[in-house]
Amino acid sequence: MGDLIKVEGGKHLTGSVRVEGAKNSALKLMAATIIASGRSTIQNVPDIADVHVMAEVLEVLGAKIDKGDHELTIDTSTLDSFTTPYELVHKMRASISMLGPLLTRFGRACIALPGGCQIGSRKLDLHFSSLEALGVEFETEHGYINATTPDGLTGAFVTLEFPSVGATENLMMASISADGHTTIDNAAREPEIVDLANMLCEMGAHIEGQGSPTIEIEGVKEFHPCTHRTVGDRIEAGTFLVAGALGGGPVDVIGAQPAHLALAITKLQRMGCEVSSKGDVITVSRTGDLLPADIQTLPHPGFPTDLQAQFMVACTIANGNSIITENVFENRYAAAWELVRMGADIRIEMQHALVRGVPRLSGAPVESPDLRGGAALVLAGLVAEGETTVSNVHHIDRGYENYVEKLRSLGASVTRVPEE
Ligand code: UD1
């Protein structure tokens, strides 16, 4: 039995909230420590379940980890295994990001495949095909994928069919040690890619063009440990900006780069919110009605799919009809069905969601379907009449540190209780 989050709707939200380091960066930075034997320190690491799982995977590989206050010192000089175990990998898809670092360090890797995922399947095909271009050979056996480099890693020109975040990261982490030059064409441009590339450069890699669609890498053979600070979590920040928009504000969201949230901020402004920023502080407030929105998720710098469910909540009570189009994942509307149970008017057709604004949501027991969907349902509870109870809170714990406490510090009536 997990915990429940209970929300009493209708409270005015105001104050300030600090976001942690980005989950989607920290996990890859942790994996990258494998590349250089020795003690690397990663700062601004969020204290969330996915980070704990990644730490366990590193420990199983033989690393020693000192855990400080939002800081991990990872000693990879004792690493003596290149096999990531299924028991841990099935909990978190991001374990696939061990592949690139293990290939650079050992020239081989053995990674348990997440359930149902085979070579060539949609979800990881780009990881495999792009690494094959560098000379990596893959074989699947007993649910594990064996990656070897019989002739070493050789630089190549690789065009990604889709700017996959994970595939770009794995390719960067393998090609930094390849013989010669690698070009990643149609690379992902997310801020977390830039963060990882910057850390790899601090470790001795030669990378240019991170943050653009073309990344150029000159292979080198020597890497050294480093100390790196994780970039602020733009998705956590976006989640609290929506909370502020729903709860009136002003709410100051501190610790993320406004430039990383450019489109989300523009959408909130078009929806009738006042949003301003100074340094790493973004302030949101709203006095009038929420206006409807037209949102299309796209790879960065497009609107982030990881904020789609939270913005959908704002659309449910907007004054008019909104259209949301999910272009990154095929099936990412699970939270919508729970929102309908709270009185939202949502019609889904293929990758489109038509959201007709209603005057108010009504509190109900709902189930968190996934990480961002779960966070969004708690937001929905903030503007619902009466009590909303969100179950399956473990999904939210994967990516949000102290979500309940942070919302409460803004004035929300939110508590976490054990499920009876
Ligand atoms: C990362 C983020 C996730 C975010 C996503 C898109 C982490 C831990 N997770 O996930 O929060 O929602 O980026 O911004 O960083 N695809 C393929 N074949 C592949 C790889 C991906 O078809 O080999 C497809 C996926 O099925 C999906 C799309 O490409 O439809 C985007 O995936 P990708 O960019 O790779 O996301 P992740 O790195 O898994």
Side-chain angles (χ1 to χ4, degrees):
M1 283 287 159
D3 287 353
L4 300 171
I5 294 179
K6 290 192 175 199
V7 193
E8 192 64 42
K11 299 281 187 276
H12 184 93
L13 265 57
T14 185
S16 66
V17 64
R18 178 170 283 282
V19 301
E20 312 300 327
K23 165 182 99 75
N24 287 350
S25 215
L27 296 173
K28 324 305 168 63
L29 303 177
M30 290 171 73
T33 61
I34 291 174
I35 288 164
S37 174
R39 282 164 66 84
S40 284
T41 298
I42 307 176
Q43 300 166 333
N44 202 26
V45 179
D47 190 4
I48 51 174
D50 271 11
V51 161
H52 303 160
V53 174
M54 190 55 110
E56 268 186 80
V57 177
L58 282 164
E59 280 168 345
V60 168
L61 295 178
K64 297 214 163 63
I65 305 186
D66 287 338
K67 295 171 185 148
D69 179 16
H70 294 97
E71 185 171 300
L72 297 176
T73 296
I74 304 173
D75 184 353
T76 59
S77 59
T78 46
L79 223 73
D80 53 7
S81 168
F82 45 79
T83 304
T84 65
Y86 178 71
E87 300 73 57
L88 293 172
V89 168
H90 86 277
K91 288 188 195 171
M92 192 181 60
R93 231 178 90 80
S95 331
I96 192 69
S97 50
M98 296 282 182
L99 189 52
L102 287 170
L103 286 168
T104 274
R105 175 87 180 262
F106 297 115
R108 62 181 305 179
C110 184
I111 310 268
L113 283 168
C117 220
Q118 301 299 324
I119 291 188
S121 78
R122 258 214 91 217
K123 300 293 182 186
L124 295 174
D125 53 348
L126 299 174
H127 293 248
F128 300 135
S129 58
S130 58
L131 289 169
E132 272 166 359
L134 301 185
V136 181
E137 292 186 2
F138 292 102
E139 250 177 56
T140 326
E141 225 175 28
H142 310 301
Y144 280 77
I145 175 144
N146 260 310
T148 52
T149 50
D151 302 315
L153 290 162
T154 310
F157 188 100
V158 184
T159 302
L160 290 175
E161 222 170 283
F162 179 88
S164 153
V165 173
T168 303
E169 289 165 344
N170 259 329
L171 196 50
M172 269 199 316
M173 291 193 279
S175 61
I176 51 171
S177 65
D179 283 336
H181 192 88
T182 296
T183 301
I184 310 178
D185 185 31
N186 199 22
R189 291 188 267 168
E190 272 66 4
E192 294 77 25
I193 299 275
V194 176
D195 201 23
L196 174 62
N198 290 348
M199 170 160 157
L200 295 173
C201 290
E202 286 152 23
M203 296 174 95
H206 289 186
I207 307 176
E208 282 178 10
Q210 57 269 35
S212 84
T214 310
I215 303 180
E216 306 283 357
I217 298 147
E218 199 59 48
V220 295
K221 297 297 166 202
E222 293 282 319
F223 298 95
H224 47 81
C226 72
T227 295
H228 182 87
R229 184 176 171 80
T230 313
V231 69
D233 197 321
R234 66 196 164 102
I235 304 301
E236 187 190 3
T239 305
F240 283 110
L241 288 176
V242 174
L246 295 173
V251 166
D252 290 335
V253 180
I254 308 166
Q257 293 304 312
H260 297 166
L261 280 153
L263 257 186
I265 289 173
T266 305
K267 291 290 171 196
L268 284 173
Q269 287 166 333
R270 291 204 185 131
M271 292 178 84
C273 302
E274 298 247 332
V275 190
S276 60
S277 61
K278 197 172 175 199
D280 70 349
V281 183
I282 310 173
T283 306
V284 63
S285 62
R286 176 178 64 93
T287 43
D289 279 354
L290 270 168
L291 303 175
D294 181 351
I295 293 172
Q296 288 204 48
T297 69
L298 282 171
H300 194 79
F303 188 91
T305 174
D306 287 352
L307 285 177
Q308 179 253 103
Q310 299 88 317
F311 272 71
M312 179 182 275
V313 171
C315 294
T316 63
I317 55 157
N319 194 354
N321 299 341
S322 300
I323 294 194
I324 300 177
T325 305
E326 174 56 65
N327 293 306
V328 179
F329 288 97
E330 301 133 54
N331 183 15
R332 207 176 188 183
Y333 286 132
W337 306 120
E338 300 299 302
L339 290 172
V340 167
R341 298 188 54 253
M342 297 176 74
D345 183 346
I346 304 171
R347 204 174 88 199
I348 309 247
E349 286 200 9
M350 313 285 283
Q351 77 271 40
H352 306 287
L354 173 63
V355 187
R356 292 193 184 91
V358 294
R360 69 192 63 79
L361 296 177
S362 124
V366 289
E367 199 175 299
S368 169
D370 52 49
L371 166 55
R372 306 301 170 186
L377 291 173
V378 175
L379 296 181
L382 299 176
V383 285
E385 230 171 41
E387 188 181 83
T388 298
T389 310
V390 183
S391 58
N392 272 350
V393 168
H394 62 94
H395 285 300
I396 301 174
D397 293 337
R398 286 187 41 217
Y400 290 88
E401 180 181 327
N402 293 336
Y403 191 44
V404 164
E405 290 77 2
K406 287 184 184 182
L407 284 171
R408 210 163 41 217
S409 76
L410 296 175
S413 171
V414 192
T415 47
R416 185 174 173 133
V417 294
E419 200 171 340
E420 284 154 17

